[in-house]
Amino acid sequence: MAAGFQCKQFFIGHQHCAMKVGTDAFLLGAWVRIPASGNLLDIGCGSGILSLMLAQRSQGLQPITALDLDAGAVRQSRMNVAASPWRSAIQVLEQDILTYQPAERYSLLLCNPPYFHQAVPARDAARQLARHSDSLPWPQLLQQAAQLASDDADFALVIPDSSVSLLLQAATLAGWQLKRLCRVQPGPQKAVRRALLQLSRQPAVPEYSQLCIQQSDGQYSGDYRQLLKDFYLKF
C-alpha cells in the first residue's frame, strides 16, 4: 500500500512529497472557518491535504486552487485529488505564489508555511524548501496574499507559537487584521507549540482560544476529538 494517511472520506498519499502529512495541516484544515461562498486558495499545498479537507467541508461546492513550487508535490496532490470524491472542485498548479496572477480573487487563503527560519539546513533540497522560510519570507507571503484576496477575505495559517508576534507585525503592515487565534499545546503539562491564526481584510474583534491535543493520561482530549471527528478514522 502507498505511504500515506487514510481519512474517513479520502486517502492522502505522500510518498512523492518532501514533507509528510502531519498534525499541523489537520489542525488548520479542521479549525479554519470557511466562507459561505467564493473561491479558496491553498498556498504550498504539498500532498493536497488542506485542499481535500476544504473540499470535504464545503461538499465540493466551492472552487479550490492548490499551488506548489515542487513538481513532486504537485504530482502527489493531483494523484490524491483524482482519487477523491471532489476531483472536479480542485485545480492543482505548479506555481510560485509570489508570481501567481489569477483572474479571480479568493475569499479564503490557507497556508501551512515553511517556518524553520535559520534552522539547521535539511539534507535534501526539496525538504529544505518545504521546511524553511528563507524561500518564502512572511512579509512577502502576507503582501502577496493581500493582492490575491477579495475585500472581505480571510487568510489562515499555522505557525510556531513563538513566532506569533512577528507574524502579526508583518500582517498589520500588509493590511491584515487578527480575527481568530488558537494556541495549541501537545498536553496539559507541555508548553504551547503551535498557533492557528485566521486573519481578515476587514476590521475584526479577535477571538482567542486554546486547544490541548492530549489529556494527562495520554489519550486524545475531547476537544481534539471533536475537531477532527470528520477526518480521523479512530474518532
Side-chain angles (χ1 to χ4, degrees):
M1 184 176 180
F5 195 94
Q6 181 65 56
C7 297
K8 286 185 175 177
Q9 296 190 38
F10 59 89
F11 176 78
I12 286 288
H14 58 200
Q15 66 267 32
H16 301 300
C17 294
M19 293 302 294
K20 307 309 180 186
V21 174
T23 303
D24 287 1
F26 276 111
L27 285 168
L28 181 61
W31 175 84
V32 64
R33 286 186 188 148
I34 302 175
S37 61
N39 299 326
L40 314 179
L41 179 64
D42 178 5
I43 301 170
C45 63
S47 64
I49 176 64
L50 286 174
S51 292
L52 287 164
M53 292 181 77
L54 292 179
Q56 178 179 320
R57 292 182 58 197
S58 63
Q59 300 180 335
L61 299 178
Q62 292 173 253
I64 300 167
T65 302
L67 306 181
D68 206 292
L69 271 175
D70 181 69
V74 169
R75 182 167 74 254
Q76 185 77 77
S77 288
R78 287 174 176 165
M79 291 170 59
N80 289 332
V81 168
S84 80
W86 313 287
R87 50 189 167 275
S88 62
I90 304 171
Q91 179 185 32
V92 184
L93 303 176
E94 186 176 342
Q95 176 71 54
D96 184 346
I97 186 61
L98 297 180
T99 59
Y100 181 50
Q101 297 182 331
E104 70 274 17
R105 291 294 176 262
Y106 295 95
S107 297
L108 175 66
L109 304 90
L110 274 87
C111 187
N112 180 4
Y115 50 65
F116 290 88
H117 185 60
Q118 295 181 341
V120 176
R123 287 188 192 137
D124 75 73
R127 186 169 172 82
Q128 179 160 337
L129 181 66
R131 284 172 59 88
H132 290 254
S133 62
D134 305 62
S135 61
L136 185 59
W138 283 341
Q140 284 184 264
L141 171 61
L142 290 157
Q143 290 163 11
Q144 180 66 3
Q147 294 296 315
L148 300 175
S150 61
D151 291 341
D152 58 351
D154 285 358
F155 185 23
L157 310 94
V158 53
I159 64 170
D161 185 71
S162 59
S163 299
V164 168
S165 295
L166 288 175
L167 185 132
L168 289 179
Q169 290 175 25
T172 299
L173 292 175
W176 293 101
Q177 306 290 323
L178 179 62
K179 186 174 184 178
R180 302 173 67 213
L181 172 62
C182 179
R183 304 178 75 216
V184 182
Q185 61 185 134
Q189 307 303 321
K190 297 182 179 180
V192 171
R193 299 277 180 84
R194 294 285 183 266
L196 303 166
L197 298 94
Q198 189 155 350
L199 310 173
S200 176
R201 297 298 290 164
Q202 297 296 322
V205 178
E207 299 176 24
Y208 297 97
S209 61
Q210 190 150 328
L211 175 68
C212 192
I213 293 177
Q214 291 185 327
Q215 303 172 148
S216 56
D217 61 4
Q219 299 297 309
Y220 287 114
S221 70
D223 288 342
Y224 186 71
R225 287 176 174 274
Q226 180 64 27
L227 183 65
L228 274 301
K229 64 181 175 60
D230 292 333
F231 299 99
Y232 278 13
L233 289 176
K234 63 180 68 176
F235 296 168

